[in-house]
Amino acid sequence: MFYREAGDFSTTYREDSQTFPIKFDRYRYYAVLIIAFAIIPFLLNDYWVNAIFLPFLIYSIAAIGLNILTGYCGQVSLGTGGFMAVGAYATYKLMTAFPEVSMVVHILLAGGVTAFVGVLFGLPSLRIKGFYLAVATLAAQFFLVWLFNRVPWFYNYSASGQINSPERTLFGIPITGANTEPWAVYLFCLVFVTISAVVARNLTRGAMGRKWMAIRDMDIAAEIIGVNPLTAKLSAFAISSFFVGVSGALFFSVYLGAVEVGEVFGINKSFLVLFMIIIGGLGSIFGSFAGAAFLVLLPVLLKNVLVTGLGWPTDLAAHLEFMIVGFLIIVFLIVEPHGIAQLWRVAKEKLRLWPFPH
Amino acid sequence: MPDQLIYAIEVFFNGLMAGVLYALVALGFVLIYKASGIFNYAQGVMALFAAMTLVGVMEGQVPFAHLINAVLGTKVHHFGWHLPALVGIVSTVLVMVVLAWLVQRVIFKHLVGQEPIILFMATIGLAYFMEGLGDMMWGSEIKKLDVGLPQGINLWIDEATYNIFDYGFFIDNLDIVATIIAITLVGSLVIFAQYTKEGRAMRAVADDHQAALSVGVSLNFIWIMVWSVAGFVALVAGIMWGTKSGVQFSLSLIALKALPVLMLGGFTSIPGAIVGGLIIGVGEKLFEFLVGPLIGGATENWFAYVLALLLLVFRPQGLFGEKIIERV
């Protein structure tokens, strides 16, 4: 009833090609932004930020990054954990080497470093495809984790081999370290998430995104119609790794504060982010958010229901979580290969015709 | 002979033995991949699951004991029997066949004709599911597996080499047994594929699904059979690794070791899996021995991958794989 394109006239090309052409979508988008920026920060407490909002926001950036590579450009990567580690260690080195420079700069630079590493490990993609490539990206995963574990320069020769994020402020408000306020870290991450989403959305619907999708759908055909696979694939690797690096940087500096690389950025992290985009929807920015929200909320929910509600031991709940996640992956691949994003699209399509089905 | 060289020879042989075990896991991958085009990430978890089931059956554990206790408040854990290894192995094989049937029925029947990468991701989902299921059924603590295989240093080799080089080689009996079993297994698989009716049908399916269908081969049956055989190979691998280092979560990570083996040898080649396994086994042990101390050690985690990655850049189909031909 409300969801109509009828009566919504575009009078300029600019209006015609905007991200949300339907008025209702546009208002919904503004409403979400207002709620996220102006209302949620006042309602937050420590538990909500640490258990739900921060992981959700940070994983969303990682999922957007991987979605660009896997969902849009069709190159499956299992090295996400390794690239997040690059982002984390790059920020750590920058934070400790240049304490007076703003955190924002450090995090962006860390993204840049990760983009460079991503291109390096993306080079084989020019020769190998499909799951040969997927397995080859595992090389990045294992090599990078080993590197950060074994070369003391990366963790500043600390005795524990861990990296700890020192306290840094932005506009006088601490955003890393022990004395942070929930709303401050939330807003800090939210800004990054919003910018990432807007940038990613516009990249993927522009010329670059079309090239990526052409490569994804059939790389040889794409080459024949004039898409340069070298630049298309490597730019996908670079941009994807940039986002993943930013998320790794935030994950370490703002969310965890202390990181032991093998534990935090292991192969399971790569799979987790991959599952997010499968469940959320390959080739959809909204899907990245939906998948991240789903997989962040699921363990919290299970823990609350099973451990707190039914009094099960935690290890049993953890096993059940594994089963449920695996089961959901299979169900989604069978029933809805395009994930939650597709369900959302179908719902919107239905809504447009509602209440008259024809 | 200089000491370093003798050590290197010993490392070489140990690497060869480790390589056989990698090849054993890789074999399971190749079987499924050749017959159904599915790259089965869950192979390692299948090995873990098989080993857990074997221990569970032999020790008489009650399946899902933790779950039952948590829900009903009871305190069951063991049936109180101890079965001989052979009974355990036979019943585990049965479990693996049922599993193969379920996997085929519930999952891959619905995914026929999907892109390979979708199938691959489905097997990652399967791996997660089975990991949770295995822990839930049998508990997640480290278990000891003993099916009566000999273990410990082989004194005969120790003595013989001591007489020649003045330095006794340490080679584990278990590794020798594993090698013999692996060779037998590969030999019987080759005979099975070449000379039996089912084996021929399997090769026909591997060659061309539709052509095989049109001459009356049941795809469904072949796929279930292949998954069962892969389950059996997983069980053998699980027994070997489980005896060596205990049945625990890290067992499932051998799948990750088998992946570079496959890339090196080519996904479609049984000899490739074996040669690849040997190259990786020897290569990573020698690399760790020669270069490892210089750059901080524990290079085994990534050496295999980087080696495979470098090779793939020059030979995208692996050493023995079929040439990849692409058409638009």
Side-chain angles (χ1 to χ4, degrees):
Chain A
M1 199 173 306
F2 313 101
Y3 195 66
R4 290 275 184 279
E5 60 264 76
D8 192 1
F9 302 110
S10 313
T11 48
T12 59
Y13 284 117
R14 230 185 122 71
E15 270 177 37
D16 197 39
S17 60
Q18 57 190 333
T19 309
F20 296 108
I22 296 177
K23 213 184 252 165
F24 184 82
D25 273 339
R26 209 152 53 231
Y27 292 145
R28 185 179 46 82
Y29 169 64
Y30 294 139
V32 168
L33 281 187
I34 289 170
I35 292 173
F37 274 96
I39 299 181
I40 291 180
F42 294 104
L43 307 173
L44 284 173
N45 58 26
D46 255 347
Y47 174 77
W48 279 86
V49 163
N50 284 323
I52 294 171
F53 279 104
L54 276 193
F56 162 63
L57 292 174
I58 294 170
Y59 279 128
S60 298
I61 304 181
I64 288 172
L66 187 63
N67 221 335
I68 286 177
L69 188 63
T70 304
Y72 285 96
C73 197
Q75 316 292 311
V76 176
S77 164
L78 298 176
T80 320
F83 293 131
M84 282 175 83
V86 174
Y89 276 76
T91 4
Y92 175 66
K93 289 304 285 184
L94 288 166
M95 275 166 89
T96 45
F98 308 103
E100 65 283 355
V101 179
S102 158
M103 265 311 280
V104 178
V105 178
H106 285 328
I107 287 175
L108 293 180
L109 277 178
V113 172
T114 317
F116 175 74
V117 178
V119 169
L120 215 59
F121 281 99
L123 281 176
S125 72
L126 303 173
R127 286 280 288 171
I128 52 183
K129 287 170 194 159
F131 33 64
Y132 280 87
L133 179 67
V135 177
T137 53
L138 278 176
Q141 171 70 45
F142 289 113
F143 180 74
L144 291 169
V145 167
W146 173 85
L147 189 72
F148 295 131
N149 232 339
R150 294 282 161 170
V151 181
W153 181 78
F154 286 109
Y155 48 87
N156 282 358
Y157 305 94
S158 78
S160 61
Q162 278 194 346
I163 53 173
N164 294 297
S165 89
E167 182 166 311
R168 294 286 177 270
T169 57
L170 190 71
F171 307 122
I173 301 159
I175 45 163
T176 66
N179 305 317
T180 52
E181 294 281 330
W183 63 269
V185 287
Y186 167 79
L187 275 183
F188 185 68
C189 290
L190 186 64
V191 169
F192 275 99
V193 172
T194 313
I195 295 172
S196 302
V198 171
V199 169
R201 174 85 178 122
N202 283 304
L203 275 177
T204 50
R205 67 199 195 107
M208 202 172 235
R210 281 160 208 263
K211 281 182 190 163
W212 291 338
M213 285 186 259
I215 292 279
R216 170 191 69 188
D217 292 340
M218 172 122 248
D219 51 353
I220 297 179
E223 204 173 338
I224 290 167
I225 59 169
V227 175
N228 184 347
L230 179 91
T231 52
K233 281 183 184 173
L234 289 188
S235 63
F237 264 100
I239 290 166
S240 150
S241 307
F242 179 85
F243 286 127
V244 173
V246 167
S247 98
L250 290 172
F251 202 75
F252 152 67
S253 62
V254 178
Y255 177 47
L256 288 182
V259 159
E260 204 280 308
V261 62
E263 226 166 82
V264 177
F265 297 119
I267 177 103
N268 280 336
K269 192 106 322 173
S270 302
F271 282 133
L272 181 66
V273 180
L274 184 68
F275 288 166
M276 280 173 184
I277 65 170
I278 296 174
I279 289 183
L282 290 166
S284 154
I285 300 296
F286 168 76
S288 312
F289 284 101
F294 191 86
L295 283 184
V296 167
L297 286 176
L298 182 71
V300 177
L301 189 75
L302 279 180
K303 199 165 161 246
N304 276 331
V305 171
L306 295 180
V307 179
T308 321
L310 295 174
W312 286 21
T314 34
D315 61 329
L316 210 55
H319 301 158
L320 192 67
E321 188 195 324
F322 263 93
M323 287 176 70
I324 291 178
V325 169
F327 176 73
L328 280 174
I329 297 287
I330 296 170
V331 167
F332 267 102
L333 285 173
I334 291 174
V335 180
E336 190 51 86
H338 298 286
I340 298 174
Q342 182 65 21
L343 296 179
W344 177 245
R345 257 174 245 140
V346 170
K348 283 205 291 193
E349 207 53 38
K350 291 247 163 69
L351 204 60
R352 272 175 62 199
L353 299 174
W354 187 80
F356 308 110
H358 297 291
Chain B
M1 225 188 275
D3 279 357
Q4 280 292 318
L5 189 65
I6 295 178
Y7 295 151
I9 295 173
E10 186 188 13
V11 169
F12 177 84
F13 277 110
N14 277 318
L16 218 52
M17 304 284 178
V20 171
L21 290 181
Y22 294 153
L24 208 53
V25 184
L27 201 63
F29 281 98
V30 172
L31 279 173
I32 293 184
Y33 185 75
K34 262 181 90 92
S36 55
I38 295 170
F39 185 82
N40 180 22
Y41 180 80
Q43 186 70 30
V45 184
M46 274 166 71
L48 174 66
F49 185 79
M52 279 174 133
T53 310
L54 180 59
V55 176
V57 170
M58 276 170 67
E59 299 289 318
Q61 279 185 0
V62 180
F64 298 110
H66 286 278
L67 185 67
I68 295 169
N69 292 347
V71 174
L72 302 177
T74 50
K75 289 223 182 313
V76 291
H77 49 96
H78 280 91
F79 289 123
W81 68 54
H82 288 273
L83 294 175
L86 193 66
V87 181
I89 290 175
V90 170
S91 32
T92 310
V93 169
L94 286 181
V95 171
M96 295 315 276
V97 171
V98 172
L99 189 78
W101 183 77
L102 278 177
V103 164
Q104 183 55 34
R105 235 11 207 324
V106 178
I107 304 175
F108 290 103
K109 202 178 112 191
H110 303 285
L111 287 171
V112 171
Q114 292 277 12
E115 283 182 47
I117 204 76
I118 299 280
L119 298 174
F120 173 59
M121 293 199 242
T123 62
I124 299 181
L126 177 67
Y128 264 66
F129 182 78
M130 282 179 57
E131 211 175 298
L133 182 70
D135 282 351
M136 195 163 252
M137 267 175 94
W138 308 112
S140 55
E141 67 279 359
I142 300 175
K143 300 180 196 61
K144 222 166 102 43
L145 174 62
D146 184 12
V147 291
L149 294 176
Q151 258 180 301
I153 182 167
N154 187 314
L155 292 173
W156 185 80
I157 291 181
D158 188 41
E159 218 164 278
T161 49
Y162 188 78
N163 291 336
I164 303 169
F165 303 118
D166 269 351
Y167 171 76
F169 283 10
F170 182 91
I171 289 175
D172 200 319
N173 269 325
L174 182 64
D175 285 336
I176 300 173
V177 175
T179 312
I180 296 168
I181 291 179
I183 292 170
T184 325
L185 192 65
V186 171
S188 42
L189 277 177
V190 169
I191 292 172
F192 171 73
Q194 295 292 334
Y195 297 110
T196 63
K197 192 175 146 205
E198 285 77 19
R200 284 189 189 150
M202 186 182 87
R203 283 192 296 145
V205 171
D207 222 30
D208 191 327
H209 289 177
Q210 286 193 333
L213 263 181
S214 68
V215 293
V217 176
S218 159
L219 278 187
N220 211 9
F221 171 74
I222 293 298
W223 280 337
I224 292 175
M225 187 187 78
V226 167
W227 276 84
S228 312
V229 175
F232 178 68
V233 174
L235 172 63
V236 175
I239 291 175
M240 296 303 160
W241 287 89
T243 312
K244 202 172 172 141
S245 50
V247 179
Q248 52 177 320
F249 172 71
S250 67
L251 196 67
S252 67
L253 299 180
I254 51 173
L256 296 174
K257 267 291 165 52
L259 293 178
V261 171
L262 286 172
M263 297 207 301
L264 206 67
F267 281 112
T268 48
S269 159
I270 289 180
I274 294 159
V275 176
L278 295 182
I279 293 178
I280 298 260
V282 171
E284 72 175 17
K285 290 281 187 308
L286 276 182
F287 187 80
E288 173 70 23
F289 176 69
L290 297 173
V291 187
L294 304 178
I295 53 172
T299 54
E300 279 148 337
N301 285 337
W302 56 267
F303 173 76
Y305 282 95
V306 175
L307 183 71
L309 186 64
L310 290 180
L311 181 100
L312 278 192
V313 173
F314 297 103
R315 246 187 103 77
Q317 71 272 36
L319 285 175
F320 295 89
E322 289 155 22
K323 189 144 184 56
I324 303 165
I325 301 166
E326 287 195 70
R327 297 184 178 84
V328 177

